[in-house]
Amino acid sequence: MKRQHFILFITTLISTLPAFGQDKRVGGPCEGCAAIYESPVPADKLDMFAKLPDAAWEGKKPIGINGIVYKADGKTPAPGVILYIYHTDQTGHYTAKADAKGWEKRHGSLRGWMRTNEKGEYKFVTLRPVAYPGHSDPAHIHITVKEPGLNEYYIDEYLFADDPLLTAAQKQRLENRGGSGILTLRDVGNMYKAERHIYLGRNIPNYPTNQ
């Protein structure tokens, strides 16, 4: 009988441990975060730079966003981190191509993937998105993060400091997941530029202390 109890105890203990090789779950629910795995380029082949389909230098000026992804200590660059971004088009909608599949049907075709280089750097170029028609939400760019050993999770959206819809009340509701996502654009002639550094684990629920 004692042997049976011991076997039952060990079986129960094992069943409560994370399976070998599985990512630790952090960040809470994240609808649509699985889209980070839909990159047309294998994850280990992704570049640190992404040019979204709407980026062009004829007509409306594009925006270029760059930054460094830091580990939880806030100072060590984090290489090999995958970033997925998507946003609305110039009508404020997530418009997808006719042959769209997977999450592209919901997120639209203005999306891209990056993988930080050995210095933790990333960069993307696109057109500034437009706010949802008839809504009070400010214009934004969604971002999902996937770092080694952890599941994918979302961080604060990219927002624009000069957006009249970004009110004081809106700012107070921000969680600052991954640090502030509010951008201050600079006109550099042929485009606008801004910088956002990302801090892994900052304000992320269940984030491990040993990352």
Side-chain angles (χ1 to χ4, degrees):
M1 184 64 68
K2 290 183 178 180
R3 177 180 173 81
Q4 290 177 335
H5 286 169
F6 177 74
I7 293 175
L8 178 61
F9 170 76
I10 293 297
T11 303
T12 303
L13 178 63
I14 292 175
S15 68
T16 62
L17 294 174
F20 179 77
Q22 286 187 342
D23 292 335
K24 178 177 173 57
R25 305 301 299 178
V26 301
C30 186
E31 182 182 7
C33 279
I36 200 168
Y37 299 108
E38 295 181 340
S39 171
V41 177
D44 61 344
K45 302 297 183 184
L46 284 170
D47 193 69
M48 56 81 67
F49 171 73
K51 181 177 178 292
L52 272 62
D54 63 343
W57 278 260
E58 299 83 27
K60 192 173 182 179
K61 291 182 182 180
I63 58 174
I65 313 300
N66 70 280
I68 298 173
V69 177
Y70 291 102
K71 294 184 178 182
D73 63 10
K75 57 185 179 182
T76 304
V81 176
I82 300 172
L83 307 175
Y84 167 68
I85 57 171
Y86 69 97
H87 63 77
T88 60
D89 60 19
Q90 297 302 290
T91 70
H93 296 92
Y94 297 105
T95 305
K97 294 179 294 187
D99 60 349
K101 299 178 181 179
W103 281 100
E104 185 180 357
K105 295 179 181 179
R106 292 272 300 277
H107 293 176
S109 299
L110 299 180
R111 58 184 194 154
W113 295 260
M114 295 153 281
R115 184 173 184 267
T116 58
N117 62 17
E118 67 279 359
K119 297 180 181 179
E121 298 169 326
Y122 76 94
K123 181 179 181 179
F124 65 90
V125 176
T126 188
L127 284 182
R128 179 171 174 167
V130 173
Y132 305 139
H135 289 255
S136 60
D137 294 336
H140 54 276
I141 299 173
H142 295 278
I143 175 168
T144 302
V145 173
K146 173 67 177 77
E147 53 179 300
L150 301 179
N151 66 285
E152 65 284 356
Y153 58 90
Y154 73 91
I155 61 174
D156 270 23
E157 302 155 344
Y158 293 88
L159 299 165
F160 302 93
D162 61 353
D163 189 337
L165 293 177
L166 184 59
T167 63
Q170 289 274 4
K171 291 178 181 178
Q172 286 184 340
R173 287 196 289 270
L174 297 175
E175 299 178 78
N176 287 319
R177 290 172 61 117
S180 174
I182 300 176
L183 303 173
T184 299
L185 295 175
R186 296 179 292 108
D187 189 342
V188 296
N190 65 337
M191 65 187 301
Y192 298 95
K193 289 187 176 182
E195 184 177 75
R196 179 194 182 177
H197 299 319
I198 295 170
Y199 301 90
L200 299 176
R202 183 168 295 182
N203 300 316
I204 303 299
N206 301 318
Y207 196 86
T209 58
N210 60 345
Q211 283 294 108

